[in-house]
Structures are given as structure tokens and as C-alpha cells.
């Protein structure tokens, strides 16, 4: 790497393909900026459902449920019964929203782990002192692990990526890009269970109840696929970055790359006290897991399900509590050993802070829960699912083709609706039951959704983290703009999408379980 700074490079892409892509993204940004906040968007959609239900009910639209031969008719939400349901059922609709209690339960534990400093120390430990030739993969794989920290991963890992790349004599700009793309494009790929698993499985379960009232999509329903995908996505990002993007000439920062000063080195190093705490915390984690495994071995274990079953066990059904307790225990151990937590009240304070950070999501959940309740009551979703399944059967389309079509649809929708929970809440009530009627399980539909929902996160200007990543990059290269960042993220996203979707199709065709379901 040159020891002198080079003049600022133009941020406008030279490729005709990239210029066309940027014009498209500019249009997406313009359209997206006109969309209301997701909270209001779901209330607007609720209004559309109300009007549509009145029109369809008047037209006598109906369908025959293929499982029960029952005739399903559209119910008018603007009728007396509909208005009564909407008013009297508002509180119940919110309280019964599947992800509400589960996500809060998990967040209590994650908040303790985050406030203790465990996540930050673990991420720094994973990338510190990694040999240069493995640095890109190490940073990308660390990002996959960081998904358990949720959105906090962006704040922690992007600047850390710049520092570790700079310490290795590489461009800090590229370090920011690798961290950002790995977190966002692989957001639903993780070697560990995350809050996303709990959130999406709750919505999928509610959608599946349209066809089967007893169906349950567990939080570990996509775990095997997510684990394998995390390694795959990290490898793909590494290859694209190291073999292609690292050769670009516009990666030089404004200032010459110099050795890290004492404060910067301290920011990426892990102290001896923290290393000791991480070792002990790791042993506790292994002990926690070993205890659960041992407790599940006896066929008469109270943690097992009826007749000694594992899939229907209380351990799987209560995975939200298990995850919350797991992270709370680890965070408490680490916090006590490092002095972050000096008293039990500090643990409670961490939970309170974590709950406070959930406020925007809880507000959104209220709107989503009402919309879903209206959509379900009117039977519009049921009829769409039945009619859609009939159309797919008439077309005699293979399952993998349908799933690839779903991936394309969700990919484009995600460019505008960047909230994963909001988008799945919108799509699941139709996609899950429709594909169930043609023999595709909810776990499979959820898995392909996670692929499509992840990849375009890194290219859409509607994502608040796109702007955040650009801000970190501009700390090293002031001339960088949206075009600069997008010219890096678009090629990575395109390759990851193709490889990941092909990987999903192969997984599906081979009949490999996506997780425990």
C-alpha cells in the first residue's frame, strides 16, 4: 500500500451497468422516501383491507378450503361485526401477537450480555491478531456471530473493521465495507440463535394456523440452514473482496495509513482481565449447553414432550426463555468478572435499558398486530392462499421454481421495506398458507424469505445502516458518497444472492432438514 495519500477519486461509477443500477437505486430511494413510517404504513394497509373487504363481500367472493371443503367467504370489516371486532379486540390482538412476549423474553437476556461488554469483547477477540491472509474471512465470520447482538453489531463492528484492516496495513475503507456487508447481506445467517429466529417463527406460526391450527414453527426451524449459510456467505464475501474489490485503485484513505496509536490499539485489543473473563464465560456456556443435553437424555425427562418426544418438548417450545436465560447467565458471569456489574441492581438496570431500546419495535408491533387481525378476520388472506395455490397447481410449477420466484419477489420488496419483521408480517399471511397448500412447509418458505430479505439490505439507500456505514467510511475518505459505497456493495450482493439462492435450492432438492421442526 502506498505511503502517500492519493487525490480523491470520483464517486460516480464508470460502468454502464453500475450507472443504470445507481439510477434505479436513486428511484428506489425517491419512492421509499415517500412511504410513511412502517407504523402508519400498516394502518394505511388496514384501511385498504377494510375497503377491499367491503367490496369483495358485496361481490360474493369466496373459495373452497381444500382440506375441509368449507366455503370461505370474505367478511366485511366495515360491517357492525367487523367494527365490533376491531374495537373490542384491539388489546387482545396486541397481547396475542406471537412475537411480542417471546422477543421481550429473549431481549432481557441479550441486554444483560450486551451491557456487560461481553459482545464487544468477543467480537474484538475474534478479529484481533488474525494473520493478514485470513483477516477478511475472520471479520466476515465475526459479523455472522455478531447478529446475536442485533442492530448493535453495526455500531460496534464497522469501526472495528476499519481499525483491524488498518492495523494489518490494509485500507480502513475496505474494512468498513467488509464489516457492513457481512452484517447486512448475511443478516439472517448466523451460527447461533438470534432474536430474528424467535421473531420470524412467531409470525410464521400465526400464518400457518390459517391451514393447520396446531402447526408450530419453532425458533430452531431454520438453524441448520442458518449455520451453514453463515459460513457460505462469509466465504463468498471473502472471495469477492480479496480477489476483485481489493484490487481497486480508489481504496486509499485521504490520510496515509499509519500505525495505530495507543488509544486505537486499545480499542481493538482485549485486556488480560477480559480474556480471562471470556475463557470462564465460554466454559459456563459449554456447561449450560451440556446440562440441557444431559437433561434431555432420559426418555422420562420433564423437559421432553409427550411420549418422550424432543421436537414437541418444553425445551424447544420454551426456546425464548432458554435463550434469554442463556445470555443473561453469560452476561452476568462476564460482567462480574470484569467489574461491569458490581451489584445485582446493575443486571436489572441492563434489562431495563434493553427493554427501553425495544420501544420502537413494540410500537410497530401494535400496528402490525391490528393489521394481521383484520386481515385474518376478513378471510382475504385465506382466499388469496387458496386461489394462489390453485393457480400454481394448474401451472404445474415445480416447488423450487416457486421458491425462487418468492425469493425474487421478496428481494425487490426489501429494497423499499427494509424492516425484516414488517416485511414478513406483510408477506407471511399469504405466502405461508398458499405454499402449504401445494406441499411446501412453512419452515421452507421462511428459509427462502430469510435469504431474500438479507442480501439487498446492503444496497438499498432506504436502510438507515447504509447511511451509518457511509458515515464511518467518510471518516477515512471524505470524498466518498452513496455511489462509492454502492459500487462496492452491489457486486458483493449480486454474487451472494446467486450463490445463496442456488445453495438454498440444492438444500431443498436434497431434502435436508432446515432445522428442528
Amino acid at each position: 500500500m502506498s505511503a502517500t495519500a492519493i487525490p480523491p477519486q470520483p464517486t460516480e461509477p464508470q460502468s454502464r451497468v453500475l450507472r443504470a443500477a445507481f439510477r434505479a437505486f436513486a428511484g428506489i430511494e425517491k419512492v421509499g422516501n415517500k412511504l410513511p413510517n412502517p407504523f402508519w404504513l400498516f394502518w394505511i394497509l388496514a384501511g385498504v383491507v377494510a375497503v377491499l373487504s367491503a367490496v369483495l363481500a358485496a361481490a360474493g367472493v369466496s373459495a373452497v378450503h381444500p382440506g375441509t371443503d368449507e366455503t370461505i367467504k370474505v367478511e366485511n370489516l366495515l360491517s357492525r361485526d367487523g367494527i365490533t371486532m376491531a374495537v373490542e379486540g384491539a388489546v387482545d390482538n396486541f397481547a396475542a401477537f406471537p412475537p411480542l412476549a417471546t422477543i421481550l423474553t429473549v431481549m432481557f437476556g441479550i441486554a444483560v450480555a450486551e451491557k456487560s461488554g461481553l459482545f464487544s469483547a468477543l467480537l474484538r477477540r475474534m478479529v484481533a491478531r488474525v494473520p493478514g491472509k485470513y483477516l477478511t474471512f475472520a471479520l466476515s465470520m465475526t459479523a455472522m456471530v455478531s447478529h446475536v447482538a442485533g442492530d448493535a453489531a453495526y455500531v460496534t463492528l464497522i469501526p472495528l473493521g476499519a481499525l483491524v484492516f488498518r492495523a494489518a496495513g490494509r485500507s480502513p475503507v475496505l474494512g468498513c465495507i467488509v464489516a457492513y456487508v457481512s452484517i447486512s447481506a448475511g443478516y439472517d445467517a448466523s451460527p447461533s440463535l438470534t432474536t430474528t429466529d424467535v421473531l420470524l417463527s412467531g409470525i410464521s406460526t400465526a400464518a400457518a394456523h390459517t391451514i393447520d391450527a396446531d402447526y408450530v414453527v419453532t425458533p430452531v426451524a431454520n438453524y441448520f440452514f442458518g449455520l451453514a449459510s453463515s459460513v457460505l456467505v462469509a466465504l463468498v464475501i471473502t472471495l469477492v473482496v480479496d480477489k476483485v474489490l481489493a484490487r481497486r485503485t480508489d481504496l486509499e484513505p485521504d490520510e496515509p495509513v499509519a500505525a495505530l496509536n495507543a488509544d486505537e490499539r486499545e480499542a481493538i485489543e482485549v485486556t488480560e482481565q477480559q480474556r480471562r473473563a471470556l475463557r470462564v464465560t465460554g466454559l459456563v456456556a459449554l456447561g449450560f449447553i451440556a446440562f440441557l443435553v444431559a437433561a434431555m437424555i432420559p426418555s422420562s425427562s420433564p423437559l421432553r414432550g409427550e411420549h418422550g418426544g424432543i421436537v414437541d418438548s418444553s425445551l424447544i417450545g420454551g426456546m425464548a426463555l432458554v435463550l434469554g436465560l442463556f445470555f443473561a447467565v453469560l452476561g452476568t458471569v462476564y460482567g462480574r468478572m470484569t467489574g461491569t456489574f458490581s451489584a445485582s441492581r446493575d443486571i436489572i438496570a441492563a434489562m431495563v435499558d434493553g427493554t427501553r431500546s425495544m420501544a420502537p419495535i413494540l410500537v410497530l408491533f401494535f400496528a402490525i398486530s391490528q393489521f394481521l387481525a383484520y386481515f385474518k378476520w376478513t378471510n382475504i388472506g385465506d382466499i388469496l392462499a387458496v386461489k394462489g395455490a390453485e393457480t400454481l397447481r394448474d401451472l404445474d410449477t415445480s416447488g423450487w421454481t416457486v421458491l425462487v420466484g418468492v425469493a425474487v419477489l421478496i428481494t425487490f420488496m426489501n429494497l423499499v421495506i427494509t424492516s425484516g419483521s414488517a416485511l414478513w408480517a406483510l408477506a407471511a399471511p399469504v405466502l405461508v398458507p398458499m405454499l402449504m397448500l401445494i406441499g411446501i412447509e412453512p419452515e421452507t418458505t421462511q428459509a427462502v424469505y430469510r435469504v431474500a430479505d438479507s442480501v439487498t439490505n446492503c444496497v438499498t439507500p432506504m436502510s438507515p445502516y447504509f447511511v451509518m456505514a457511509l458515515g464511518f467510511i467518510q471518516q477515512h475518505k471524505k470524498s466518498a458518497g452513496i455511489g462509492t459505497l454502492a459500487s462496492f456493495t452491489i457486486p458483493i450482493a449480486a454474487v451472494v444472492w446467486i450463490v445463496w439462492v442456488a445453495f438454498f435450492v440444492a438444500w431443498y432438492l436434497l431434502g435436508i432438514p432446515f432445522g428442528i421442526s
Side-chain angles (χ1 to χ4, degrees), residues 82-99:
I83 293 174
T84 299
M85 183 280 300
V87 175
E88 293 184 355
V91 174
D92 289 339
N93 294 339
F94 186 41
F97 186 51

Side-chain angles (χ1 to χ4, degrees), residues 293-355:
V293 172
M296 289 290 286
I297 291 177
S299 58
S300 59
S301 170
L303 289 180
R304 288 212 180 198
E306 190 176 359
H307 307 300
I310 294 178
V311 174
D312 62 341
S313 67
S314 57
L315 179 64
I316 300 298
M319 186 56 67
L321 176 62
V322 174
L323 280 175
L325 185 60
F326 177 73
F327 287 115
V329 169
L330 299 190
T332 300
V333 171
Y334 182 85
R336 287 287 193 177
M337 291 194 66
T338 58
T340 309
F341 296 151
S342 58
S344 59
R345 62 176 177 273
D346 295 330
I347 299 172
I348 303 300
M351 291 184 180
V352 172
D353 285 343
T355 306

Side-chain angles (χ1 to χ4, degrees), residues 270-300:
V270 179
T271 66
E272 180 57 35
Q273 181 188 37
Q274 292 170 335
R275 280 196 293 270
R276 187 166 56 252
L278 283 173
R279 285 194 294 269
V280 173
T281 304
L283 292 174
V284 172
L286 290 176
F288 190 99
I289 296 171
F291 171 77
L292 292 179
V293 172
M296 289 290 286
I297 291 177
S299 58
S300 59

Side-chain angles (χ1 to χ4, degrees), residues 134-198:
Y134 302 123
L135 183 57
T136 304
F137 178 75
L139 179 57
S140 187
M141 199 63 214
T142 300
M144 302 302 156
V145 175
S146 75
H147 293 147
V148 72
D151 295 343
Y154 290 97
V155 180
T156 302
L157 203 57
I158 296 177
L160 181 60
L163 284 176
V164 295
F165 264 57
R166 185 177 150 206
R170 300 180 65 181
S171 169
V173 173
L174 192 59
C176 288
I177 292 168
V178 171
Y180 168 63
V181 172
S182 300
I183 297 170
S184 55
Y187 196 79
D188 282 334
S190 177
S192 61
L193 294 176
T194 69
T195 54
T196 302
D197 294 290
V198 178

